[in-house]
Amino acid sequence: MTGLSLHEGVHRYLTALECAKIPEGSIRQYRSVLLRLELHLPKRQLASIKTPDLVSFLYGEGRGLCIGLAPTTASAYRSYVRTFFEYAQSLGWIRVQPVVPKMFGTARALRPESPPTRLTEAELILLLQRAEDPMLRAQIAIGISTALRISDIQKIKCGDVNFATGELYVWVKKTGRYDPMPVTLDLDEELRRYLSWYTRSTGKTLRDADAYLFPGFEIGRGRFGMSEAGTTARHVGYQWSANRLKGLYGECGVHTEPREAWHVIRRSVARIYFDRLRTEISQDHALRETAALLGHINVHTTERYLGLQAEKEARNRNLRGKRFIGVSSRDTTVTPIRRPAGH
């Protein structure tokens, strides 16, 4: 298509996002950035926009969109512009996609080092007991029993729960495959309690296989709730779960870093599971089984989750500058290590 204006292209793109049922919050962010692009390049044809135009829009002196923003926010804004032009090229609106560059001459900001929060078993139980909202409590129960990411928990459907086989059939987005997670006795009790409330509130049961177990808000109404028919067709959003969990941390007196939310539970459960297996069997077995629990392919990733770096630092403190071999059990006399004759 030739002669398509930037204004028309943006309008069609936003309409396509709505038809694809992209969350309204995400669409608002796309709309905000792209409308500002229209204001920066008024009455321009889409095909006439080149990389220098985008450099001026994003980093122009004194008025660039990304000037003064946090790196993560600037990266998000760039991605909104880039995906718009990718869409335009895929439909033939433009022949060549302009490059959306990063900020020139900047280094990645270093975050201050802070140890990740890990909760004890008692703290996890306290979170579960103090969660008054049925949806939040059920999500926490699943997180404690499976160490799943909240993004995977939110997408569980009624058809994924199978009490007969004792499995929770979960689509894990990061690995791109289904994982039949075992339903523990604790989780069995929590799920049955939640499903009783769920059926009363939504009229849905486990036979409604396509209904989301954790429903979200109804499009167009701009509010959370499940009183209207059809709300179970969408799952609850991340912000709903994150905000309520952070509030619960405060109520329970649990300190977390500003960026921490649901991964605290996943990380804590993994460490508790690892420590239990390490005591009962061995460290190598514990590491491999914990990697399986978390869905990690590489055990090095699991080590970072478990915070084993702290144990390595303790090892270094205990050994650095001290005698390691040749020390007598009675004194500190050292038997020197000599090279064998002829070598």
Side-chain angles (χ1 to χ4, degrees), residues 134-180:
M135 265 207 317
L136 179 63
R137 177 172 177 135
Q139 289 178 346
I140 293 174
I142 294 176
I144 291 175
S145 295
T146 64
L148 284 168
R149 299 174 182 87
I150 184 59
S151 57
D152 296 325
I153 294 174
Q154 291 173 329
K155 295 180 179 65
I156 295 174
K157 295 185 176 182
C158 289
D160 298 329
V161 181
N162 192 328
F163 287 118
T165 62
E167 289 180 334
L168 195 61
Y169 208 50
V170 182
W171 171 258
V172 181
K173 182 179 179 180
K174 206 157 189 177
T175 60
R177 64 173 185 269
Y178 280 101
D179 190 356

Side-chain angles (χ1 to χ4, degrees), residues 271-321:
R271 185 60 197 245
I272 292 169
Y273 190 66
F274 170 79
D275 287 340
R276 184 180 301 165
L277 290 176
R278 178 172 59 176
T279 302
E280 296 175 354
I281 309 175
S282 69
Q283 175 147 331
D284 288 343
H285 176 87
L287 188 59
R288 290 194 299 272
E289 193 164 329
T290 305
L293 172 71
L294 296 171
H296 291 164
I297 297 175
N298 192 327
V299 294
H300 295 300
T301 304
T302 309
E303 287 180 329
R304 289 196 299 272
Y305 258 83
L306 297 176
L308 296 183
Q309 182 61 34
E311 296 181 352
K312 292 179 181 178
E313 291 173 358
R315 172 204 65 190
N316 295 344
R317 287 195 304 271
N318 290 331
L319 295 179
R320 186 178 291 111

Side-chain angles (χ1 to χ4, degrees), residues 7-300:
H7 172 78
E8 182 64 20
V10 168
H11 174 74
R12 295 189 183 188
Y13 178 62
L14 295 175
T15 301
L17 293 181
E18 293 174 356
C19 292
K21 296 185 177 180
I22 302 298
E24 181 59 33
S26 298
I27 295 178
R28 282 198 301 268
Q29 294 174 356
Y30 276 95
R31 181 181 293 113
S32 174
V33 171
L34 295 177
L35 290 182
R36 292 176 71 173
L37 178 61
E38 280 190 54
L39 291 174
H40 183 78
L41 301 172
K43 299 181 181 180
R44 288 285 296 272
Q45 296 296 308
L46 192 57
S48 71
I49 299 174
K50 307 299 180 186
T51 296
D53 297 314
L54 300 183
V55 172
S56 173
F57 170 62
L58 295 171
Y59 313 112
E61 212 172 303
R63 59 189 180 121
L65 182 65
C66 293
I67 298 299
L69 296 181
T72 52
T73 305
S75 178
Y77 286 0
R78 287 197 307 271
S79 72
Y80 300 155
V81 176
R82 183 175 60 252
T83 52
F84 166 65
F85 282 101
E86 287 175 353
Y87 181 80
Q89 186 183 37
S90 69
L91 292 185
W93 297 350
I94 56 176
R95 291 185 178 181
V96 180
Q97 177 187 337
V99 176
V100 182
K102 294 182 179 180
M103 183 66 174
F104 303 108
T106 58
R108 183 177 181 181
L110 296 177
R111 291 183 183 176
E113 290 290 334
S114 58
T117 303
R118 291 185 177 83
L119 308 182
T120 64
E121 289 189 57
E123 288 173 323
L124 289 172
I125 293 172
L126 179 62
L127 284 178
L128 187 64
Q129 293 175 340
R130 294 285 293 273
E132 296 181 358
D133 187 284
M135 265 207 317
L136 179 63
R137 177 172 177 135
Q139 289 178 346
I140 293 174
I142 294 176
I144 291 175
S145 295
T146 64
L148 284 168
R149 299 174 182 87
I150 184 59
S151 57
D152 296 325
I153 294 174
Q154 291 173 329
K155 295 180 179 65
I156 295 174
K157 295 185 176 182
C158 289
D160 298 329
V161 181
N162 192 328
F163 287 118
T165 62
E167 289 180 334
L168 195 61
Y169 208 50
V170 182
W171 171 258
V172 181
K173 182 179 179 180
K174 206 157 189 177
T175 60
R177 64 173 185 269
Y178 280 101
D179 190 356
M181 303 292 295
V183 175
T184 64
L185 182 59
D186 297 327
L187 183 56
D188 183 283
E189 295 171 353
E190 290 291 337
L191 282 177
R192 290 182 189 276
R193 180 186 295 111
Y194 172 70
L195 285 167
S196 176
W197 172 87
Y198 177 83
T199 300
R200 292 196 308 270
S201 302
T202 68
K204 304 289 185 180
T205 67
L206 292 185
R207 294 183 179 180
D208 298 290
D210 290 332
Y212 281 103
L213 195 62
F214 301 110
F217 60 90
E218 189 175 23
I219 301 175
R221 298 185 66 91
R223 65 177 180 83
F224 289 95
M226 294 165 292
S227 59
E228 301 292 336
T231 52
T232 55
R234 292 181 64 83
H235 62 76
V236 69
Y238 172 80
Q239 210 59 49
W240 186 95
S241 300
N243 290 342
R244 280 157 180 76
L245 181 62
K246 288 180 179 180
L248 186 60
Y249 285 148
E251 293 175 18
C252 295
V254 175
H255 171 76
T256 59
E257 297 298 321
R259 294 178 179 271
E260 292 182 317
W262 280 90
H263 251 60
V264 172
I265 294 179
R266 175 173 163 85
R267 191 187 304 119
S268 303
V269 170
R271 185 60 197 245
I272 292 169
Y273 190 66
F274 170 79
D275 287 340
R276 184 180 301 165
L277 290 176
R278 178 172 59 176
T279 302
E280 296 175 354
I281 309 175
S282 69
Q283 175 147 331
D284 288 343
H285 176 87
L287 188 59
R288 290 194 299 272
E289 193 164 329
T290 305
L293 172 71
L294 296 171
H296 291 164
I297 297 175
N298 192 327
V299 294
H300 295 300

